[in-house]
Amino acid sequence: MADFLSAYSIQSWLESAPQGYLEDTEYGHEPGEEEPKLLFEDPLLHEQAIRTTVQLVVGERCALSASSGLINAAPDEASKRFLATQTLDEARHVEVFTQRLYDLGVGKGELESAIRRHANPNLVKFAEVLLEKVDRKDFVAGVVGQNIVLEGMAFNVFEMMHAGNVALNPKFAHTLAGTIADERRHVGFGENRIGSLIRENPLRKGDIERMQKEMSYWMLATFADSFRDAPAREEMARVRAQAGASAMHATWHGVDLDAADPSEMEHVLADTVLADFKRRLGRIGIEYQTPARP
């Protein structure tokens, strides 16, 4: 417990995040960085950037509601303090991705209508499954859903997007790098804290496994929709060539993101996330449940 208290203390959070990798950043990126002009010159790419960022805002709003809602359900003070730091992390994520929407030209008075218009209904369902557990003050299920399923998904999505934007959009890549570092810490907390609680409450396994299976289904449905609407490989190759980034091939988990079709990227992302779920759930004594493919 002593190591847990130290690794997930507010002091540790201060040293690693605000005084560490986030120091001197502005909305998660370096001051003065801007979105590439190509995003504003190509209407299809501009719309895709807005749609993608809306999904990030929706996911992070869910994470903010979940982490804040779990604080008073936590069974110990150390978990309460960690969740307080995670709540601020999630609030920051909501803010930086909302700011990106503003940077892309979404007016502040248009924000909520843009989110309603572009929010993937499957992602909304995914969030509802988790928040139902949080509303019931179900700490064990809530942390598994939040810190292993939601954060595990976000970690891989952000990593894939970061790989694709390092050369093409350094501003967005820098924003994603900070969120990746946050998510890594959140996932670690979920594994380290919940394993002991599962051992103390073995009868909870069935309910948690059903939740994981349902959340995984809505996640896969979200991926299917998102990649169906993604720019074609030829369009992205043209964009990278115009941006001078074609010489730097973006790869993730052995897949050339510049040469892969959207369907190939969907499969590698889905397979990577589900494999992570299986591995992380196994560490805490939960049997991974394979979801149906949408």
Side-chain angles (χ1 to χ4, degrees), residues 31-61:
E33 288 185 310
E34 297 180 349
E35 296 288 333
K37 292 182 179 179
L38 277 174
L39 281 185
F40 299 94
E41 295 170 352
D42 187 318
L44 290 177
L45 289 179
H46 184 243
E47 183 77 0
Q48 177 66 21
I50 290 174
R51 184 185 301 112
T52 297
T53 309
V54 163
Q55 310 319 315
L56 303 184
V57 172
V58 171
E60 296 300 340
R61 283 184 174 185

mmCIF file of all heavy atoms in Angstrom, residues 31-61:
data_model
loop_
_atom_site.group_PDB
_atom_site.id
_atom_site.type_symbol
_atom_site.label_atom_id
_atom_site.label_comp_id
_atom_site.label_asym_id
_atom_site.label_seq_id
_atom_site.Cartn_x
_atom_site.Cartn_y
_atom_site.Cartn_z
ATOM 1 N N PRO A 31 3.582 26.674 -27.380
ATOM 2 C CA PRO A 31 2.992 27.983 -27.699
ATOM 3 C C PRO A 31 3.274 28.388 -29.147
ATOM 4 O O PRO A 31 4.375 28.187 -29.659
ATOM 5 C CB PRO A 31 3.708 28.916 -26.713
ATOM 6 C CG PRO A 31 4.085 28.039 -25.563
ATOM 7 C CD PRO A 31 4.451 26.720 -26.192
ATOM 8 N N GLY A 32 2.264 28.912 -29.795
ATOM 9 C CA GLY A 32 2.430 29.411 -31.161
ATOM 10 C C GLY A 32 2.174 28.394 -32.248
ATOM 11 O O GLY A 32 2.084 28.769 -33.429
ATOM 12 N N GLU A 33 2.058 27.128 -31.912
ATOM 13 C CA GLU A 33 1.783 26.124 -32.942
ATOM 14 C C GLU A 33 0.363 26.295 -33.474
ATOM 15 O O GLU A 33 -0.553 26.647 -32.724
ATOM 16 C CB GLU A 33 1.957 24.710 -32.377
ATOM 17 C CG GLU A 33 3.401 24.331 -32.126
ATOM 18 C CD GLU A 33 3.550 22.880 -31.684
ATOM 19 O OE1 GLU A 33 2.827 22.475 -30.755
ATOM 20 O OE2 GLU A 33 4.387 22.158 -32.264
ATOM 21 N N GLU A 34 0.176 26.008 -34.760
ATOM 22 C CA GLU A 34 -1.131 26.168 -35.395
ATOM 23 C C GLU A 34 -1.491 24.928 -36.201
ATOM 24 O O GLU A 34 -0.621 24.131 -36.571
ATOM 25 C CB GLU A 34 -1.124 27.393 -36.327
ATOM 26 C CG GLU A 34 -0.877 28.714 -35.606
ATOM 27 C CD GLU A 34 -0.889 29.896 -36.564
ATOM 28 O OE1 GLU A 34 -0.879 29.656 -37.798
ATOM 29 O OE2 GLU A 34 -0.902 31.037 -36.080
ATOM 30 N N GLU A 35 -2.776 24.795 -36.471
ATOM 31 C CA GLU A 35 -3.229 23.719 -37.347
ATOM 32 C C GLU A 35 -2.700 23.964 -38.765
ATOM 33 O O GLU A 35 -2.597 25.113 -39.206
ATOM 34 C CB GLU A 35 -4.761 23.666 -37.380
ATOM 35 C CG GLU A 35 -5.413 23.335 -36.047
ATOM 36 C CD GLU A 35 -5.230 21.901 -35.629
ATOM 37 O OE1 GLU A 35 -5.073 21.032 -36.516
ATOM 38 O OE2 GLU A 35 -5.254 21.645 -34.404
ATOM 39 N N PRO A 36 -2.378 22.906 -39.510
ATOM 40 C CA PRO A 36 -1.877 23.078 -40.887
ATOM 41 C C PRO A 36 -2.908 23.782 -41.774
ATOM 42 O O PRO A 36 -4.113 23.546 -41.663
ATOM 43 C CB PRO A 36 -1.642 21.641 -41.361
ATOM 44 C CG PRO A 36 -1.560 20.824 -40.119
ATOM 45 C CD PRO A 36 -2.440 21.494 -39.118
ATOM 46 N N LYS A 37 -2.424 24.617 -42.658
ATOM 47 C CA LYS A 37 -3.320 25.344 -43.562
ATOM 48 C C LYS A 37 -4.137 24.399 -44.437
ATOM 49 O O LYS A 37 -5.261 24.711 -44.831
ATOM 50 C CB LYS A 37 -2.509 26.307 -44.438
ATOM 51 C CG LYS A 37 -1.892 27.469 -43.670
ATOM 52 C CD LYS A 37 -1.141 28.403 -44.596
ATOM 53 C CE LYS A 37 -0.538 29.574 -43.819
ATOM 54 N NZ LYS A 37 0.230 30.483 -44.719
ATOM 55 N N LEU A 38 -3.563 23.220 -44.742
ATOM 56 C CA LEU A 38 -4.264 22.266 -45.599
ATOM 57 C C LEU A 38 -5.608 21.850 -45.007
ATOM 58 O O LEU A 38 -6.558 21.570 -45.743
ATOM 59 C CB LEU A 38 -3.399 21.018 -45.798
ATOM 60 C CG LEU A 38 -2.312 21.074 -46.879
ATOM 61 C CD1 LEU A 38 -1.461 19.819 -46.835
ATOM 62 C CD2 LEU A 38 -2.952 21.231 -48.254
ATOM 63 N N LEU A 39 -5.714 21.819 -43.689
ATOM 64 C CA LEU A 39 -6.974 21.431 -43.059
ATOM 65 C C LEU A 39 -8.088 22.421 -43.360
ATOM 66 O O LEU A 39 -9.258 22.064 -43.373
ATOM 67 C CB LEU A 39 -6.801 21.303 -41.540
ATOM 68 C CG LEU A 39 -6.147 20.025 -41.017
ATOM 69 C CD1 LEU A 39 -6.172 20.006 -39.493
ATOM 70 C CD2 LEU A 39 -6.853 18.785 -41.550
ATOM 71 N N PHE A 40 -7.717 23.664 -43.604
ATOM 72 C CA PHE A 40 -8.717 24.689 -43.884
ATOM 73 C C PHE A 40 -8.969 24.832 -45.387
ATOM 74 O O PHE A 40 -9.999 25.343 -45.803
ATOM 75 C CB PHE A 40 -8.264 26.033 -43.306
ATOM 76 C CG PHE A 40 -8.087 26.005 -41.818
ATOM 77 C CD1 PHE A 40 -6.851 25.750 -41.258
ATOM 78 C CD2 PHE A 40 -9.168 26.223 -40.964
ATOM 79 C CE1 PHE A 40 -6.690 25.711 -39.879
ATOM 80 C CE2 PHE A 40 -9.014 26.189 -39.597
ATOM 81 C CZ PHE A 40 -7.774 25.932 -39.042
ATOM 82 N N GLU A 41 -8.020 24.372 -46.202
ATOM 83 C CA GLU A 41 -8.146 24.499 -47.649
ATOM 84 C C GLU A 41 -8.949 23.362 -48.272
ATOM 85 O O GLU A 41 -9.505 23.517 -49.353
ATOM 86 C CB GLU A 41 -6.749 24.558 -48.279
ATOM 87 C CG GLU A 41 -5.966 25.810 -47.869
ATOM 88 C CD GLU A 41 -4.511 25.754 -48.294
ATOM 89 O OE1 GLU A 41 -4.074 24.668 -48.769
ATOM 90 O OE2 GLU A 41 -3.803 26.766 -48.131
ATOM 91 N N ASP A 42 -8.987 22.217 -47.605
ATOM 92 C CA ASP A 42 -9.702 21.050 -48.116
ATOM 93 C C ASP A 42 -10.946 20.836 -47.259
ATOM 94 O O ASP A 42 -10.852 20.424 -46.101
ATOM 95 C CB ASP A 42 -8.792 19.819 -48.049
ATOM 96 C CG ASP A 42 -9.415 18.597 -48.726
ATOM 97 O OD1 ASP A 42 -10.622 18.365 -48.534
ATOM 98 O OD2 ASP A 42 -8.683 17.876 -49.428
ATOM 99 N N PRO A 43 -12.138 21.099 -47.811
ATOM 100 C CA PRO A 43 -13.372 20.983 -47.010
ATOM 101 C C PRO A 43 -13.589 19.597 -46.410
ATOM 102 O O PRO A 43 -14.061 19.475 -45.279
ATOM 103 C CB PRO A 43 -14.486 21.317 -48.013
ATOM 104 C CG PRO A 43 -13.815 22.129 -49.065
ATOM 105 C CD PRO A 43 -12.423 21.582 -49.173
ATOM 106 N N LEU A 44 -13.221 18.545 -47.146
ATOM 107 C CA LEU A 44 -13.422 17.187 -46.631
ATOM 108 C C LEU A 44 -12.521 16.914 -45.430
ATOM 109 O O LEU A 44 -12.956 16.341 -44.417
ATOM 110 C CB LEU A 44 -13.162 16.164 -47.738
ATOM 111 C CG LEU A 44 -14.184 16.123 -48.871
ATOM 112 C CD1 LEU A 44 -13.757 15.115 -49.932
ATOM 113 C CD2 LEU A 44 -15.568 15.761 -48.338
ATOM 114 N N LEU A 45 -11.258 17.337 -45.530
ATOM 115 C CA LEU A 45 -10.331 17.136 -44.421
ATOM 116 C C LEU A 45 -10.716 17.988 -43.213
ATOM 117 O O LEU A 45 -10.578 17.562 -42.067
ATOM 118 C CB LEU A 45 -8.900 17.459 -44.852
ATOM 119 C CG LEU A 45 -8.238 16.474 -45.807
ATOM 120 C CD1 LEU A 45 -6.841 16.956 -46.162
ATOM 121 C CD2 LEU A 45 -8.184 15.073 -45.201
ATOM 122 N N HIS A 46 -11.201 19.188 -43.490
ATOM 123 C CA HIS A 46 -11.619 20.075 -42.415
ATOM 124 C C HIS A 46 -12.791 19.465 -41.652
ATOM 125 O O HIS A 46 -12.806 19.437 -40.408
ATOM 126 C CB HIS A 46 -11.997 21.453 -42.985
ATOM 127 C CG HIS A 46 -12.352 22.453 -41.944
ATOM 128 N ND1 HIS A 46 -13.601 23.015 -41.849
ATOM 129 C CD2 HIS A 46 -11.617 22.983 -40.937
ATOM 130 C CE1 HIS A 46 -13.625 23.869 -40.839
ATOM 131 N NE2 HIS A 46 -12.433 23.863 -40.261
ATOM 132 N N GLU A 47 -13.766 18.955 -42.382
ATOM 133 C CA GLU A 47 -14.924 18.326 -41.747
ATOM 134 C C GLU A 47 -14.510 17.080 -40.964
ATOM 135 O O GLU A 47 -14.999 16.833 -39.861
ATOM 136 C CB GLU A 47 -15.957 17.949 -42.818
ATOM 137 C CG GLU A 47 -17.240 17.343 -42.286
ATOM 138 C CD GLU A 47 -18.187 18.379 -41.694
ATOM 139 O OE1 GLU A 47 -17.850 19.581 -41.691
ATOM 140 O OE2 GLU A 47 -19.278 17.979 -41.237
ATOM 141 N N GLN A 48 -13.566 16.301 -41.536
ATOM 142 C CA GLN A 48 -13.096 15.102 -40.851
ATOM 143 C C GLN A 48 -12.370 15.449 -39.557
ATOM 144 O O GLN A 48 -12.530 14.774 -38.537
ATOM 145 C CB GLN A 48 -12.164 14.306 -41.773
ATOM 146 C CG GLN A 48 -11.540 13.073 -41.142
ATOM 147 C CD GLN A 48 -12.551 12.008 -40.799
ATOM 148 O OE1 GLN A 48 -13.645 11.987 -41.355
ATOM 149 N NE2 GLN A 48 -12.190 11.102 -39.884
ATOM 150 N N ALA A 49 -11.577 16.517 -39.580
ATOM 151 C CA ALA A 49 -10.853 16.935 -38.371
ATOM 152 C C ALA A 49 -11.826 17.339 -37.272
ATOM 153 O O ALA A 49 -11.631 17.014 -36.090
ATOM 154 C CB ALA A 49 -9.901 18.079 -38.698
ATOM 155 N N ILE A 50 -12.889 18.052 -37.652
ATOM 156 C CA ILE A 50 -13.902 18.454 -36.666
ATOM 157 C C ILE A 50 -14.616 17.219 -36.131
ATOM 158 O O ILE A 50 -14.793 17.073 -34.906
ATOM 159 C CB ILE A 50 -14.904 19.442 -37.299
ATOM 160 C CG1 ILE A 50 -14.219 20.788 -37.565
ATOM 161 C CG2 ILE A 50 -16.116 19.630 -36.383
ATOM 162 C CD1 ILE A 50 -15.072 21.776 -38.318
ATOM 163 N N ARG A 51 -15.021 16.313 -37.014
ATOM 164 C CA ARG A 51 -15.750 15.121 -36.594
ATOM 165 C C ARG A 51 -14.897 14.274 -35.635
ATOM 166 O O ARG A 51 -15.374 13.806 -34.598
ATOM 167 C CB ARG A 51 -16.155 14.284 -37.805
ATOM 168 C CG ARG A 51 -17.001 13.065 -37.438
ATOM 169 C CD ARG A 51 -17.296 12.190 -38.645
ATOM 170 N NE ARG A 51 -18.001 12.897 -39.691
ATOM 171 C CZ ARG A 51 -17.495 13.189 -40.875
ATOM 172 N NH1 ARG A 51 -16.254 12.844 -41.162
ATOM 173 N NH2 ARG A 51 -18.184 13.831 -41.779
ATOM 174 N N THR A 52 -13.624 14.086 -35.994
ATOM 175 C CA THR A 52 -12.724 13.302 -35.137
ATOM 176 C C THR A 52 -12.561 13.945 -33.769
ATOM 177 O O THR A 52 -12.612 13.262 -32.738
ATOM 178 C CB THR A 52 -11.350 13.166 -35.808
ATOM 179 O OG1 THR A 52 -11.498 12.437 -37.038
ATOM 180 C CG2 THR A 52 -10.357 12.450 -34.907
ATOM 181 N N THR A 53 -12.378 15.252 -33.745
ATOM 182 C CA THR A 53 -12.163 15.940 -32.478
ATOM 183 C C THR A 53 -13.414 15.927 -31.617
ATOM 184 O O THR A 53 -13.325 15.860 -30.386
ATOM 185 C CB THR A 53 -11.687 17.388 -32.742
ATOM 186 O OG1 THR A 53 -10.573 17.357 -33.649
ATOM 187 C CG2 THR A 53 -11.235 18.056 -31.449
ATOM 188 N N VAL A 54 -14.577 15.963 -32.231
ATOM 189 C CA VAL A 54 -15.826 15.852 -31.463
ATOM 190 C C VAL A 54 -15.862 14.525 -30.710
ATOM 191 O O VAL A 54 -16.255 14.482 -29.532
ATOM 192 C CB VAL A 54 -17.050 15.985 -32.394
ATOM 193 C CG1 VAL A 54 -18.313 15.454 -31.695
ATOM 194 C CG2 VAL A 54 -17.265 17.442 -32.783
ATOM 195 N N GLN A 55 -15.426 13.424 -31.356
ATOM 196 C CA GLN A 55 -15.438 12.135 -30.659
ATOM 197 C C GLN A 55 -14.512 12.172 -29.451
ATOM 198 O O GLN A 55 -14.830 11.586 -28.391
ATOM 199 C CB GLN A 55 -15.019 11.000 -31.603
ATOM 200 C CG GLN A 55 -15.719 10.931 -32.940
ATOM 201 C CD GLN A 55 -17.204 11.209 -32.896
ATOM 202 O OE1 GLN A 55 -17.943 10.710 -32.042
ATOM 203 N NE2 GLN A 55 -17.673 12.027 -33.855
ATOM 204 N N LEU A 56 -13.393 12.875 -29.571
ATOM 205 C CA LEU A 56 -12.468 12.990 -28.441
ATOM 206 C C LEU A 56 -13.109 13.771 -27.296
ATOM 207 O O LEU A 56 -12.952 13.407 -26.125
ATOM 208 C CB LEU A 56 -11.162 13.666 -28.887
ATOM 209 C CG LEU A 56 -10.410 12.989 -30.037
ATOM 210 C CD1 LEU A 56 -9.097 13.702 -30.307
ATOM 211 C CD2 LEU A 56 -10.176 11.514 -29.753
ATOM 212 N N VAL A 57 -13.829 14.824 -27.634
ATOM 213 C CA VAL A 57 -14.513 15.610 -26.600
ATOM 214 C C VAL A 57 -15.576 14.760 -25.918
ATOM 215 O O VAL A 57 -15.701 14.760 -24.684
ATOM 216 C CB VAL A 57 -15.137 16.886 -27.203
ATOM 217 C CG1 VAL A 57 -16.005 17.598 -26.166
ATOM 218 C CG2 VAL A 57 -14.045 17.831 -27.705
ATOM 219 N N VAL A 58 -16.344 14.011 -26.704
ATOM 220 C CA VAL A 58 -17.398 13.158 -26.130
ATOM 221 C C VAL A 58 -16.784 12.129 -25.176
ATOM 222 O O VAL A 58 -17.270 11.911 -24.055
ATOM 223 C CB VAL A 58 -18.194 12.454 -27.241
ATOM 224 C CG1 VAL A 58 -19.138 11.397 -26.654
ATOM 225 C CG2 VAL A 58 -18.997 13.477 -28.041
ATOM 226 N N GLY A 59 -15.718 11.481 -25.612
ATOM 227 C CA GLY A 59 -15.068 10.482 -24.771
ATOM 228 C C GLY A 59 -14.501 11.080 -23.502
ATOM 229 O O GLY A 59 -14.626 10.499 -22.408
ATOM 230 N N GLU A 60 -13.890 12.250 -23.616
ATOM 231 C CA GLU A 60 -13.280 12.865 -22.442
ATOM 232 C C GLU A 60 -14.327 13.460 -21.498
ATOM 233 O O GLU A 60 -14.118 13.492 -20.281
ATOM 234 C CB GLU A 60 -12.269 13.932 -22.865
ATOM 235 C CG GLU A 60 -11.072 13.391 -23.635
ATOM 236 C CD GLU A 60 -10.258 12.377 -22.842
ATOM 237 O OE1 GLU A 60 -10.363 12.360 -21.601
ATOM 238 O OE2 GLU A 60 -9.515 11.598 -23.460
ATOM 239 N N ARG A 61 -15.447 13.901 -22.026
ATOM 240 C CA ARG A 61 -16.536 14.339 -21.137
ATOM 241 C C ARG A 61 -17.045 13.150 -20.318
ATOM 242 O O ARG A 61 -17.360 13.300 -19.134
ATOM 243 C CB ARG A 61 -17.673 14.960 -21.949
ATOM 244 C CG ARG A 61 -17.392 16.373 -22.437
ATOM 245 C CD ARG A 61 -18.615 16.934 -23.146
ATOM 246 N NE ARG A 61 -18.440 18.332 -23.513
ATOM 247 C CZ ARG A 61 -19.395 19.098 -24.055
ATOM 248 N NH1 ARG A 61 -20.596 18.580 -24.279
ATOM 249 N NH2 ARG A 61 -19.155 20.358 -24.364
#
